[in-house]
Amino acid sequence: MVDNSARKWWALVAIAASVLVVGLDLTVLNLALPTISSDLHASTSDLQWVSDAYSLVLAAAMLPAGLLGDRFGRKKVLLTALVLFGASSAACAYAGSIGELIAARAVLGIGAAAIFPLSLSVIPVLFAPEERQKAIALMASATFISFPIGPIVGGYLLDNFWWGSVFLINVPVVALALIAVAFLLPESRSERRPSLDVLGVILSSAGLAGLTYGFIRAGQSSWTNPGALATIAAGVVVLALLVAWERWLTRRYADDGGIRPLIELRLFRSAGFTWGTILATLVSFAMFGIFFAMPLYFQEVRGVNAMGSGLRLLPMIGGMIIGMIGGTRLASPRKSADGAPARTQKPPRANVKVLTTVGFALMAVMLGVGAGTTISSGTGFTAIWFAGFGLGLGLAMPQTMNAALSALSAERSGSGSALISALRQVGATIGVAVLGTVLDSVYRSHLAVTHLPAASAAAARASVVEGVSIAHRLGSAALLGSARGAFVTGLDTMLWVCGGIAVASAILALLFLPRRAEGTPGAVPGGDTGPAAVGETGAERAELEV
């Protein structure tokens, strides 16, 4: 653990900036797709691969990236990832064909696959348990702020520059992050450097990529699509083989110190790690209705542009910041009269279980309010429930992440953080596919297209974007009203589902989440939990480099 100083906080700010540009890249791409299609003569299938190439590589490379950070040094791997991300962003911006763009997006996914887990892995190394709440809140803020900022920045760039500018904005931010990480972040790596788990890397990459691709295809086409179902099944089988291999390797590693497993399955003996990771993944489900469907509501139903849609998401960010600041203060150890942390006399005002449960409950209530959205709902109505949802998110998310990260030793923070990130990524992909299907099926079932030609009717059923576009092209007020009404019905249904997920998450947090994150004052490990339970020495090589 490095010395407590301003230096490590500035290092974290630099890493948070790199996480922010990764999030921006995800949000601004959708805005640029229509222009990309026109300029590069891309088909719908091509555009899907622009997105899917990134998602598949991201899912496949996360676990190996975390292990490489543990083995060769988290700072070195993070710097390499930033260079790769910056260079591939420039390649995306100046791609001359759709094939070049897809290839550059795949390389971009490799860089992001290392940035995500390694940005989390430095937290257990740099920060003492009582400081991690603030560190995680800062990192989470960088992720969530990208959702409203992306449409605002992307909308401005697309209105004033060419489509490549939405990728090119990554380059200066990455350059600043590179300089800051190089000079401010201490190097850290595992003390023990055994042989790499090559078979584990192969199985995890193939399994996660197969599962991700299958759910993407099922969400885009149909849940009865044989190819999608076969890919999902194959992914599940490969991941089952991975678990069996990792269990055998874990036993052998404990006995003779041979090849270290890619995944330390004994981490799941920790209730904090298990339920913190599960609940952090479920947050992605609850957020889906806002970050994916609400911008469509603003743009296609209310008629605002992408920038206006991003601005309307800002109340949620305000609520989230308030929730994070308040939750961090409530969960932090109180100070004694002389200013020293009161580890035994004065415990935190609220524990992890309470804050997480209250946060999910508040999200559930606000999603229920949001499920009352109509075609004519005003901006004030959405601002109120957005802010309330953000407040709940700010209370729950840092607590769940802290519970999971606190179970990691510095020795395995890279691979452990990669496991958390990979599970959240796959969970988010499944959430998009499942909840997107709910929205689409309700939209199609309520859309009135019997009076349209077959080709127009099929196109209108594909999405609300197509439905509204065809209505304007045909000058059909009836189709326009039907498309908007059908989408709002689907939106409300999906928000009810998201609210139900938030309710289930609140119950799970109340029943299973530990009251204290491991390593914090008042925490009582239960059984085989925490770093000592996973066969780690706790030794950590950390060097301050200037």
Side-chain angles (χ1 to χ4, degrees):
M1 190 81 63
V2 300
D3 182 52
N4 183 11
S5 65
R7 177 173 177 170
K8 64 187 179 185
W9 290 102
W10 283 113
L12 191 69
V13 169
I15 298 170
S18 62
V19 171
L20 176 62
V21 296
V22 173
L24 286 175
D25 184 78
L26 294 174
T27 53
V28 301
L29 174 66
N30 289 335
L31 298 178
L33 286 178
T35 310
I36 291 172
S37 176
S38 174
D39 289 357
L40 299 183
H41 309 291
S43 65
T44 300
S45 176
D46 292 333
L47 295 180
Q48 288 175 345
W49 273 110
V50 171
S51 177
D52 293 352
Y54 176 90
S55 299
L56 292 176
V57 173
L58 181 65
M62 268 191 184
L63 288 175
L67 182 61
L68 291 175
D70 283 343
R71 177 177 172 81
F72 297 110
R74 297 168 193 118
K75 178 177 177 178
K76 288 185 179 67
V77 175
L78 183 57
L79 287 172
T80 303
L82 286 170
V83 170
L84 203 58
F85 194 86
S88 54
S89 294
C92 287
Y94 293 104
S97 68
I98 193 65
E100 291 178 9
L101 180 59
I102 292 171
R105 286 280 297 171
V107 178
L108 200 70
I110 297 175
I115 291 172
F116 273 132
L118 292 178
S119 66
L120 292 175
S121 72
V122 300
I123 293 177
V125 177
L126 288 178
F127 298 96
E130 60 270 16
E131 298 175 311
R132 289 176 191 159
Q133 290 280 344
K134 295 179 182 178
I136 292 170
L138 175 63
M139 196 65 67
S141 297
T143 301
F144 295 126
I145 287 174
S146 67
F147 288 100
I149 297 300
I152 296 172
V153 174
Y156 173 79
L157 291 173
L158 290 171
D159 286 343
N160 294 277
F161 304 98
W162 95 112
W163 61 265
S165 62
V166 301
F167 295 107
L168 209 57
I169 58 169
N170 297 341
V171 177
V173 181
V174 168
L176 291 174
L178 269 170
I179 295 170
V181 169
F183 286 97
L184 296 174
L185 185 68
E187 181 60 284
S188 63
R189 63 174 64 88
S190 296
E191 172 97 355
R192 303 163 68 182
R193 301 177 63 188
S195 302
L196 291 175
D197 178 9
V198 177
L199 182 58
V201 169
I202 294 172
L203 291 174
S204 68
S205 299
L208 290 173
L211 201 64
T212 300
Y213 181 79
F215 276 105
I216 289 174
R217 278 290 165 262
Q220 289 175 347
S221 55
S222 167
W223 288 94
T224 58
N225 183 301
L229 295 177
T231 307
I232 292 172
V236 171
V237 170
V238 173
L239 290 177
L241 292 174
L242 172 67
V243 171
W245 165 251
E246 296 300 306
R247 288 184 64 183
W248 179 82
L249 202 58
T250 297
R251 290 194 297 269
R252 180 176 177 181
Y253 179 70
D255 293 337
D256 60 17
I259 299 174
R260 190 171 77 177
L262 175 68
I263 300 173
E264 184 50 79
L265 295 175
R266 281 179 289 188
L267 277 172
F268 290 100
R269 295 181 183 177
S270 163
F273 179 87
T274 301
W275 291 104
T277 302
I278 290 173
L279 291 170
T281 301
L282 290 176
V283 168
S284 301
F285 282 64
M287 292 190 308
F288 174 80
I290 294 179
F291 290 140
F292 174 79
M294 289 306 296
L296 284 175
Y297 168 78
F298 290 134
Q299 293 174 50
E300 304 303 330
V301 177
R302 298 293 306 280
V304 304
N305 59 20
M307 186 180 296
S309 139
L311 289 171
R312 283 165 174 77
L313 289 172
L314 290 179
M316 188 204 68
I317 300 302
M320 181 195 70
I321 292 173
I322 293 172
M324 285 183 171
I325 293 173
T328 298
R329 290 182 176 176
L330 290 172
S332 298
R334 287 180 285 174
K335 305 290 183 178
S336 61
D338 60 0
R343 299 185 177 230
T344 55
Q345 295 92 342
K346 292 185 178 181
R349 294 177 179 85
N351 60 52
V352 171
K353 182 190 290 286
V354 169
L355 289 171
T356 304
T357 302
V358 170
F360 274 114
L362 185 56
M363 281 191 280
V365 171
M366 291 300 108
L367 286 164
V369 173
T373 298
T374 66
I375 292 178
S376 58
S377 292
T379 301
F381 170 75
T382 53
I384 290 171
W385 75 266
F386 274 11
F389 178 89
L391 181 63
L393 179 64
L395 289 173
M397 175 57 101
Q399 306 305 322
T400 60
M401 291 301 297
N402 189 36
L405 288 174
S406 294
L408 303 180
S409 68
E411 177 81 6
R412 293 299 301 266
S413 65
S415 51
S417 297
L419 179 57
I420 296 170
S421 298
L423 292 174
R424 289 181 60 200
Q425 173 67 21
V426 173
T429 301
I430 295 173
V432 168
V434 173
L435 294 172
T437 299
V438 171
L439 175 60
D440 289 343
S441 61
V442 175
Y443 167 76
R444 286 193 294 267
S445 66
H446 286 76
L447 183 67
V449 291
T450 53
H451 60 289
L452 294 177
S456 297
R461 287 194 189 97
S463 70
V464 66
V465 176
E466 290 293 331
V468 170
S469 174
I470 291 172
H472 285 308
R473 189 163 62 246
L474 298 178
S476 173
L479 177 59
L480 182 63
S482 177
R484 288 174 169 171
F487 179 80
V488 169
T489 302
L491 169 68
D492 291 345
T493 303
M494 192 193 64
L495 289 176
W496 278 119
V497 175
C498 291
I501 293 170
V503 170
S505 301
I507 294 171
L508 291 173
L510 187 62
L511 293 177
F512 300 112
L513 199 64
R515 292 171 59 86
R516 299 275 187 272
E518 293 172 24
T520 58
V524 180
D528 274 336
T529 62
V534 295
E536 302 294 0
T537 65
E540 175 67 19
R541 180 178 176 182
E543 309 159 2
L544 283 175
E545 294 183 352
V546 180

